[in-house]
Amino acid sequence: MKSFLRASLALLLAVSLHAEERRFVFERPLMATRFAVTCYSEDESTARKAADEAFAAAEEINRIASDYIPESELMRLPTGRATKVSPVFAELLTASFHFAEATGGAFDPTLGRLTKLWRESRRTGQLPEPADLANAREASGWKHATWDPAASTILLGKPGMQLDLGGIAKGFAAERMLAVMVKAGFPRTCIAAGGDLRLGDPPPGKTAWRVGLQTFNEEKPEEVVELANCAVSTSGDLHQFAEIDGKRYSHIIDPATGLGLTERIAVSIIAPTATISDALDNASCVIGPEKAEAVALKAGATRVIVRTAR
C-alpha cells in the first residue's frame, strides 16, 4: 500500500512539474484608454481573480486622481488652503512634483485648466479665445503649488488652479497592478495601460517580452525591443492630434504656450518603473529632440529613443 501511495505521489509531482502555463489576457476600459493584463498561469480562474484585484488597484487610483470624475479627491482640492490627502494620492503627488522639478517643468501637474481648455479646442477645431487661454495659463505653474510630503498636504497657490495627473497616473497604476500580480504568484505578467507597458518576468521559455515601438508609422513599428522587468512608454501625435487653421497640434500641451505641441516628435522611454517612463515620455516631447535624452536619462530613464517627422 505504501509503495502504491509513493508511486501515486511521484506521478502527481511529475504531472505538476510538467503542467503547462497558458497565456491569458484580461482587458478593461479605464482612464480614458484600455488596460490589459497579460499573464501566464496553469489555471484561468486563479489568473482572472488576480487580474480583477489588479484592476481594482487601478480603479482606486482613477477614483482618486481623475479629472473626469467630479467627486474625485483631485477635483475636490480647494485653492489657497493646504489640504491633507490620502496615502495613495500622496505617493502620486510625490512622484509628480519630483518629475516637475527633474524636468524643469516640462512635466507640470498643475495644467488642469489648460488641459480642459485644450480638450475643448480639439473637440471644436477652434483655438481658445486669447482671454480664456491667458486666464488658464495664469492659473497654472507647478512652482505656484506647494507639496509637503512630510505632512501629505498640497496647497494650490493660484486662484482657479487645478491639477492634471494624466501624464503619470496610468504608469503609476500599471506599477501597482504588476505588484498585485506578482504578490498573487504571477511574475510573468505584462500590464498595458494605453501607451505604457510594465513588464515582469518574461513568458515561459523566453528571455524577454518583444515590444514594438510605433511612433510615426501607422502600419508597423519602427523598432522592436526585447525587455523584461522594466517599463516602456511611448508618446507622440500618431493617433492624438488636431488640425486647426491648417496647423497640426499634438494632444501634448506645451506649458510655455498652453497649446498642443506643433513640432512632430515621438519619444519612447525605457525605465525601471512605469511611473518613471510615463512621466518622462510626454515631458521629453516638450523638452525637444536636442535635450530630451540628457534630461530623461538624468531623471531615471535607462534608454531614450527620440524620433522627429519633417
Side-chain angles (χ1 to χ4, degrees), residues 23-177:
R23 179 176 180 267
F24 297 104
V25 180
F26 307 101
E27 296 183 306
R28 193 169 299 182
L30 190 64
M31 295 186 181
T33 186
R34 194 143 194 94
F35 277 54
V37 175
T38 300
C39 64
Y40 288 83
S41 173
E42 300 167 11
D43 176 63
E44 181 177 1
S45 62
T46 307
R48 184 181 297 277
K49 182 176 183 294
D52 286 344
E53 292 174 358
F55 283 124
E59 287 165 352
E60 178 190 14
I61 294 163
N62 191 47
R63 287 193 299 272
I64 290 170
S66 174
D67 66 346
Y68 285 96
I69 302 174
E71 63 273 17
S72 72
E73 190 173 0
L74 179 146
M75 291 300 292
R76 289 186 284 108
L77 288 176
T79 58
R81 184 176 80 246
T83 304
K84 189 174 180 64
V85 302
S86 65
V88 173
F89 200 13
E91 286 187 47
L92 186 51
L93 288 174
T94 295
S96 297
F97 282 93
H98 165 76
F99 287 111
E101 184 170 9
T103 62
F107 175 89
D108 190 336
T110 69
L111 303 185
R113 289 275 299 277
L114 287 169
T115 298
K116 285 183 168 55
L117 203 59
W118 189 235
R119 284 177 189 158
E120 183 66 13
S121 289
R122 291 171 60 200
R123 187 185 68 82
T124 62
Q126 297 180 340
L127 291 176
E129 292 294 330
D132 294 336
L133 181 60
N135 289 336
R137 290 182 65 190
E138 178 62 25
S140 305
W142 70 278
K143 289 187 177 181
H144 298 291
T146 303
W147 166 241
D148 183 343
S152 293
T153 59
I154 180 75
L155 169 64
L156 304 180
K158 287 277 191 175
M161 176 177 277
Q162 293 180 2
L163 297 183
D164 171 19
L165 303 183
I168 193 172
K170 289 189 292 294
F172 184 81
E175 198 65 31
R176 285 189 159 243
M177 290 176 71

Side-chain angles (χ1 to χ4, degrees), residues 3-23:
S3 297
F4 174 77
L5 288 174
R6 282 197 295 269
S8 298
L9 180 59
L11 177 61
L12 287 171
L13 286 172
V15 170
S16 177
L17 287 171
H18 292 88
E20 184 178 351
E21 287 186 305
R22 291 178 292 156
R23 179 176 180 267

Side-chain angles (χ1 to χ4, degrees), residues 242-261:
E243 289 188 358
I244 302 175
D245 297 331
K247 182 178 285 190
R248 182 184 178 110
Y249 292 89
S250 171
H251 72 291
I252 302 168
I253 294 176
D254 182 353
T257 65
L259 302 175
L261 295 175

